Amino acid sequence: MLKGVAASPGIAIGKAYQYIEEKVAINNRPLSAGDVEAQIKVFDDALAKTKEQLTGLIEYSGKKLGSDKAKIFESHLEMAGDEELVGDIKENITENLMHPEAAVKKTTEKFEEIFGALEDDYIKERIADIKDVCSRLIKNICGVPIKSLNQVTEESIIIAKDLTPSDTVQLDKDMCKGFCTDIGSLTSHTAIMARSQEIPAVVGLSDITARVKDGDIVIVDGSTGQVYINPDETLLRQYKEKQAEFEEEKQRLRKLVKLPAETKDKARRVELAANIGSIEDCENALENGAEGVGLFRTEFLYMDRSVLPSEEEQFETYKKIAQKMAPHPVIIRTLDIGGDKETPCIDMPDEMNPFLGWRAIRICLERTDIFKTQLRAILRAGNYGKVRIMFPMISDLSEIKEAKRILISAMTELDNEKIPYARDIEIGIMIEIPAAAIAADILIQEVDFFSIGTNDLVQYTLAVDRMNEKTSHLYKPFNLAILRLIENVVSVSHKAGKWTGMCGELAGCVKAVPILLGLGLDELSMSAASLLKVKSMIRSITLEQAEKAAQQALMMKETERIEKLLEQLSDGF
Ligand code: PEP
Ligand code: MG
């Protein structure tokens, strides 16, 4: 049995699919003239294989992943048939006497150099296509297996060193039943995305990639963090039973979907909302009784693509989400790229400390072109539902003022262009930097609401990297300092007649419910999969119990004692 971090609850059983990029060795020695013909044949065979794979992928993704993904492979296929590209590669083989894989590499670099400098979105996309197709071609030439999450065609457990957040979003739930990774932590975006898609996952297993072979049977217990490789019949049976119990529990909680998230004595009701990363997540949110979207991580619209999403594309997405969720509110968080979320469409420097670096609002206030495009799209979508704007990673009043100045200039532009938009849109900020939590009384004067992002707030307050499994034991959301910060934020917002929500992972933690209720949070936003469990906990305690728990916790000096108190209160959940 292996033990890692229980990143996304549920049990998955299936065959291992090793998702590991194998290195390709490029032969840079010159070809002998007599070898040219044979090497042209190697290239032609690899090209035919590439086209065959892409045709299969178009068909598969068209059926499984939607026409958007299929279109990507269609343009790759088109590239693979491009005479200029193929001609250039062949010339490298015949004239420059290069091995086919080196020839492909040289052609890729040449095209990149010629077109890379052009500021044209269409051309940028084509270069990305050329790079993808050429990388596939090189692997086919060298006989290196191509592993892709889009190509998992039987029910599998993905085994990887790490998965990026965008890998996780792409997972086809019908085929990828669960995943296990060597590295990772509970609040990495990969884990967060797994939870929101209800894919059982265990991360931070150190060396699972070395222990599992393709085809091994793997049990993933995402609730306890346990993983079994090639289990015997008895264990397999036990886990199938556990899997059934997990499903039954989910069904039992379904009865709560329509009931309010109020305390047992009906003295306090909170708004339970969902964190989403795409339109598709809305369905799941509504099925689990979400009363809105408390956090739409818009950065997922920017990932896995070489060209920035246009205003129109963003507007369509935001509008559809606003409409789907109406009359409930939708909080659209402006681009929070950086940290563990990257995009090829924004040039981001390599940084020593990306989480402390150029990310989120810091990028937006510099790249005002990107920011304003997004703000215009959000403002326009505001006409189709109850949309709110939220700025991430605020550390200083000046950032809010600057962001609002750009928002007003986006409004003026829309006015001048006679494009309708929501004028009275509510503006909020995330409280995820200690400086913002401490100076919340000042910041609240500029905004309508706060949402506490505990994922970052905990890492910055305790100086513990949220991504690092080595220090995960130090990542303690119930540390007294964190509770005091939350208390301060809620209290100053209430004094100002405003409200505070929470959209960090702590909001979806059943154990935290008494304290969060007791501290007076008005809204809790979480992965859809956590909504009903949290609601069930809220409905099982009185406001008095919750307030008492919060007061007791605030007086305790040791984190362990606070944790114990909360464990007792949530016993049985
Ligand atoms: C947070 O930091 O708590 C948060 C919700 O934002 P993210 O996890 O996307 O950084
Ligand atoms: Mg954050």
Side-chain angles (χ1 to χ4, degrees):
M1 190 264 286
L2 305 178
K3 182 92 171 71
V5 178
S8 176
I11 287 157
I13 304 171
K15 277 192 192 162
Y17 178 91
Q18 282 265 16
Y19 177 58
I20 297 170
E21 276 285 313
E22 288 194 42
K23 292 248 178 317
V24 189
I26 305 249
N27 189 344
N28 286 313
R29 284 193 306 273
L31 271 182
S32 62
D35 242 3
V36 166
E37 204 177 317
Q39 293 305 322
I40 287 284
K41 165 114 181 45
V42 169
F43 173 72
D44 282 338
D45 288 349
L47 184 63
K49 190 170 176 185
T50 299
K51 288 182 178 170
E52 198 183 306
Q53 288 166 346
L54 289 169
T55 312
L57 278 172
I58 294 169
E59 203 177 310
Y60 171 74
S61 48
K63 274 195 231 137
K64 285 281 179 190
L65 308 171
S67 56
D68 277 12
K69 288 273 183 279
K71 270 200 199 114
I72 297 175
F73 295 119
E74 276 165 20
S75 30
H76 289 186
L77 185 60
E78 203 179 303
M79 271 306 152
D82 186 273
E83 280 175 19
E84 208 180 322
L85 185 84
V86 172
D88 197 78
I89 298 170
K90 286 195 171 173
E91 200 177 299
N92 280 335
I93 304 174
T94 53
E95 306 292 317
N96 299 330
L97 297 180
M98 297 178 96
H99 280 270
E101 67 274 24
V104 175
K105 187 163 174 264
K106 177 140 191 261
T107 299
T108 320
E109 287 164 358
K110 177 177 153 187
F111 277 71
E112 238 187 308
E113 204 178 298
I114 298 175
F115 300 117
L118 301 179
E119 277 300 319
D120 180 309
D121 285 356
Y122 178 78
I123 291 185
K124 278 193 184 156
E125 269 183 52
R126 297 290 75 80
I127 293 176
D129 288 341
I130 292 176
K131 279 164 78 177
D132 278 344
V133 171
C134 287
S135 139
R136 179 177 287 278
L137 255 171
I138 290 177
K139 284 184 183 150
N140 283 331
I141 291 167
C142 300
V144 170
I146 296 169
K147 294 272 182 166
S148 159
L149 293 173
N150 288 328
Q151 288 171 29
V152 183
T153 47
E154 63 175 335
E155 291 193 359
S156 309
I157 305 292
I158 311 298
I159 309 290
K161 199 164 181 38
D162 193 13
L163 291 175
T164 64
S166 64
D167 283 338
T168 320
V169 174
Q170 278 181 50
L171 291 179
D172 168 9
K173 264 180 80 177
D174 289 343
M175 294 301 158
C176 303
K177 293 292 166 195
F179 70 79
C180 300
T181 58
D182 286 346
I183 57 179
S185 64
L186 199 63
T187 50
S188 66
H189 285 95
T190 296
I192 291 172
M193 286 301 128
R195 286 196 284 281
S196 81
Q197 292 181 86
E198 299 190 50
I199 298 175
V202 177
V203 301
L205 284 151
S206 310
D207 59 353
I208 179 113
T209 46
R211 290 171 183 257
V212 175
K213 297 185 301 303
D214 265 342
D216 280 349
I217 299 294
V218 178
I219 297 177
V220 184
D221 186 338
S223 310
T224 63
Q226 288 167 321
V227 174
Y228 297 88
I229 303 160
N230 293 325
D232 63 21
E233 276 305 313
T234 322
L235 196 63
L236 208 52
R237 205 171 331 107
Q238 278 171 2
Y239 266 91
K240 285 193 173 150
E241 280 165 20
K242 274 196 182 184
Q243 206 173 24
E245 282 163 20
F246 186 83
E247 289 308 314
E248 271 167 31
E249 166 72 359
K250 261 169 71 177
Q251 289 313 319
R252 188 185 67 76
L253 287 170
R254 293 237 153 261
K255 294 195 191 98
L256 303 179
V257 168
K258 294 219 158 70
L259 299 179
E262 63 188 8
T263 49
K264 201 169 166 184
D265 53 355
K266 301 194 191 318
R268 168 74 55 78
R269 181 173 174 168
V270 286
E271 200 174 298
L272 286 195
N275 293 350
I276 62 165
S278 65
I279 303 182
E280 288 75 32
D281 290 345
C282 289
E283 213 60 58
N284 202 11
L286 290 168
E287 274 171 22
N288 283 285
E291 297 166 295
V293 166
L295 168 63
F296 173 23
R297 289 186 164 95
T298 56
E299 45 279 9
F300 286 97
L301 292 180
Y302 294 70
M303 282 148 95
D304 250 344
R305 55 192 294 163
S306 48
V307 174
L308 289 162
S310 65
E311 177 182 324
E312 219 46 41
E313 179 186 339
Q314 292 188 60
F315 164 63
E316 282 303 324
T317 305
Y318 304 152
K319 172 180 156 186
K320 280 186 197 142
I321 292 177
Q323 286 173 326
K324 257 184 191 290
M325 297 306 295
H328 302 304
V330 174
I331 300 181
I332 302 183
R333 176 174 76 181
T334 56
L335 182 63
D336 183 7
I337 209 79
D340 63 337
K341 293 173 288 193
E342 292 177 351
T343 169
C345 51
I346 301 177
D347 251 345
M348 291 200 279
D350 278 341
E351 295 178 300
M352 296 285 276
N353 294 299
F355 272 100
L356 298 179
W358 202 53
R359 62 173 289 206
I361 196 76
R362 299 168 183 182
I363 295 183
C364 287
L365 295 183
E366 264 182 58
R367 290 291 310 267
T368 47
D369 53 328
I370 299 176
F371 193 36
K372 211 192 262 181
T373 304
Q374 181 174 40
L375 292 174
R376 286 174 54 112
I378 301 174
L379 285 167
R380 289 172 58 194
N383 263 355
Y384 296 85
K386 197 168 170 187
V387 171
R388 295 170 176 152
I389 297 184
M390 178 159 72
F391 302 126
M393 288 287 292
I394 294 292
S395 63
D396 193 89
L397 185 67
S398 62
E399 289 163 333
I400 309 180
K401 287 192 170 166
E402 183 59 10
K404 281 172 72 175
R405 193 190 61 73
I406 299 168
L407 181 70
I408 287 169
S409 104
M411 287 178 167
T412 312
E413 278 181 13
L414 291 171
D415 277 331
N416 292 341
E417 293 163 36
K418 303 208 172 0
I419 298 175
Y421 66 90
R423 281 165 201 282
D424 52 354
I425 203 155
E426 278 183 39
I427 300 165
I429 57 165
M430 291 201 58
I431 300 286
E432 46 190 348
I433 297 182
I438 294 165
D441 56 328
I442 305 298
L443 305 189
I444 196 68
Q445 293 166 21
E446 283 292 325
V447 295
D448 300 303
F449 67 93
F450 286 150
S451 184
I452 304 178
T454 50
N455 305 339
D456 279 318
L457 186 63
V458 174
Q459 82 162 341
Y460 297 138
T461 308
L462 304 182
V464 178
D465 181 352
R466 69 190 263 192
M467 303 289 290
N468 187 344
E469 65 276 10
K470 279 250 183 268
T471 50
S472 59
H473 61 291
L474 298 171
Y475 188 94
K476 292 188 178 296
F478 298 117
N479 177 295
L480 182 61
I482 306 286
L483 301 184
R484 284 185 177 174
L485 290 179
I486 299 173
E487 185 196 28
N488 181 55
V489 172
V490 176
S491 129
V492 300
S493 73
H494 287 177
K495 267 190 206 131
K498 311 209 174 148
W499 61 274
T500 295
M502 179 179 283
C503 60
E505 291 301 295
L506 189 64
C509 168
V510 169
K511 215 164 74 171
V513 166
I515 237 171
L516 301 181
L517 276 177
L519 290 177
L521 265 302
D522 303 283
E523 176 238 38
L524 298 175
S525 189
M526 62 201 74
S527 302
S530 305
L531 282 165
L532 294 175
K533 268 196 146 193
V534 166
K535 192 190 275 186
S536 171
M537 182 69 196
I538 293 173
R539 293 176 61 84
S540 76
I541 55 170
T542 62
L543 180 61
E544 199 187 335
Q545 281 172 320
E547 283 177 342
K548 192 169 152 215
Q551 286 322 311
Q552 272 180 315
L554 283 168
M555 281 185 318
M556 285 175 175
K557 295 175 188 135
E558 286 146 302
T559 311
E560 284 68 27
R561 285 191 60 207
I562 302 176
E563 281 171 354
K564 203 167 239 148
L565 168 77
L566 296 176
E567 249 148 47
Q568 281 160 2
L569 285 168
S570 63
D571 210 16
F573 272 84

